[in-house]
Amino acid sequence: MFTFSSPLALPDSPFFTAAGLTSGSLLLAGCQFEQQHWQADLHQRWQLPLPAALANAVVKRKSEHLASRWLAREVLLQLGVEGFVLRNAADRSPCWPAGIQASLSHSHNQVVMAATREPLCVGVDVEQVMSNDTARETAEMLMNTQERQLLEQLALPFAQGATLLFSLKESLYKALWPQLHQPMDFLQAALCEADLTTGSAVLRLTADFGNGFDQDVALQARFCCEAQRIITLVTHPLAGQ
């Protein structure tokens, strides 16, 4: 799913180690970076200003901000938007140009992004596989009995399966937030199908949110499971389309 067929040209800096994207009406992109090579002057050099609110942030946060803004600009350029600088709304959600649906996620020196001009809700997420202790501690709030049974049938280690489920629901939440602006808890959507061979899944809403997103609405998902990392993508037609 996230095999990037086209490399992106990297700036002259050891900060980035790789970047690429897929072609198509829905662009998927990703980059790898090394936070130890972050330098304050990179923001100015690449015309991606560091917000004042992050002036005293740790290097990890500053490097994530720089990498994600660089990738967003490169992806939006593919969609005909030049010089885009991603900013956040008051609720911290990303502000994309009119007519573009997109989603961004970062974890452990990797950024992934999905973007399209198609009338789609889009949510993408990348997660480092959680520890066994974290998986056990979060299981009750994350999964119902049927979901636990489904994950067991996939024959994944419990922590990897729990991370997959967490990431799928994060992607779903990101996809729906621009349409609903409503908080969701993990049990308000349920995983009902998953296929490791095809990397495909289906989630169903278990609550009514309105605007076409009511109980039992099914949303399609794709995923990639690696030993230490999970990437997920949820898309769904925009309401009224």
Side-chain angles (χ1 to χ4, degrees):
M1 166 187 149
F2 276 87
T3 300
F4 303 120
S5 55
S6 301
L8 288 170
L10 298 177
D12 183 17
S13 167
F15 178 71
F16 286 111
T17 58
L21 78 164
T22 63
S23 58
S25 59
L26 175 65
L27 297 179
L28 302 174
C31 68
Q32 298 274 357
F33 64 95
E34 298 293 342
Q35 70 180 48
Q36 67 266 30
H37 292 301
W38 174 87
Q39 295 177 342
D41 70 324
L42 294 179
H43 293 270
Q44 181 177 3
R45 191 191 310 175
W46 298 339
Q47 297 180 22
L48 295 167
L50 183 71
L54 294 181
N56 296 319
V58 297
V59 169
K60 176 179 182 294
R61 181 69 188 92
K62 291 176 179 177
S63 63
E64 290 170 344
H65 184 276
L66 179 62
S68 60
R69 269 57 186 174
W70 178 85
L71 186 63
R73 184 174 65 188
E74 296 301 308
V75 173
L76 268 291
L77 184 60
Q78 303 296 317
L79 294 175
V81 180
E82 296 187 7
F84 176 72
V85 178
L86 177 61
R87 293 180 171 84
N88 291 342
D91 62 8
R92 300 183 64 187
S93 62
C95 299
W96 304 108
I100 290 178
Q101 286 66 240
S103 182
L104 187 72
S105 180
H106 52 73
S107 175
H108 286 72
N109 289 355
Q110 180 174 34
V111 183
V112 296
M113 181 175 172
T116 184
R117 288 190 178 275
E118 297 294 314
L120 294 173
C121 305
V122 177
V124 72
D125 186 64
V126 57
E127 298 288 343
Q128 204 74 1
V129 172
M130 63 182 71
S131 69
N132 290 326
D133 287 345
T134 300
R136 287 192 295 269
E137 291 167 1
T138 59
E140 186 174 341
M141 72 172 187
L142 179 60
M143 65 186 72
N144 62 32
T145 302
Q146 289 73 30
E147 288 174 309
R148 183 186 286 267
Q149 293 171 348
L150 176 58
L151 292 175
E152 290 173 351
Q153 292 170 8
L154 292 179
L156 288 173
F158 184 70
Q160 194 176 24
T163 306
L164 172 61
L165 183 61
F166 176 87
S167 185
L168 285 166
K169 293 187 177 185
E170 281 289 298
S171 285
L172 183 148
Y173 178 75
K174 290 181 179 181
L176 297 193
W177 176 260
Q179 311 307 314
L180 304 178
H181 293 281
Q182 295 184 42
M184 297 177 63
D185 67 45
F186 288 114
L187 298 182
Q188 288 180 312
L191 179 65
C192 52
E193 297 178 29
D195 187 324
L196 286 178
T197 303
T198 61
S200 60
V202 178
L203 299 103
R204 289 188 182 275
L205 300 180
T206 61
D208 293 332
F209 293 97
N211 198 26
F213 295 100
D214 296 323
Q215 187 170 342
D216 291 331
V217 166
L219 296 98
Q220 304 297 317
R222 295 159 60 191
F223 63 87
C224 175
C225 282
E226 301 174 358
Q228 296 300 322
R229 182 164 49 212
I230 306 287
I231 302 174
T232 60
L233 170 72
V234 169
T235 58
H236 190 78
L238 285 171
Q241 303 296 321

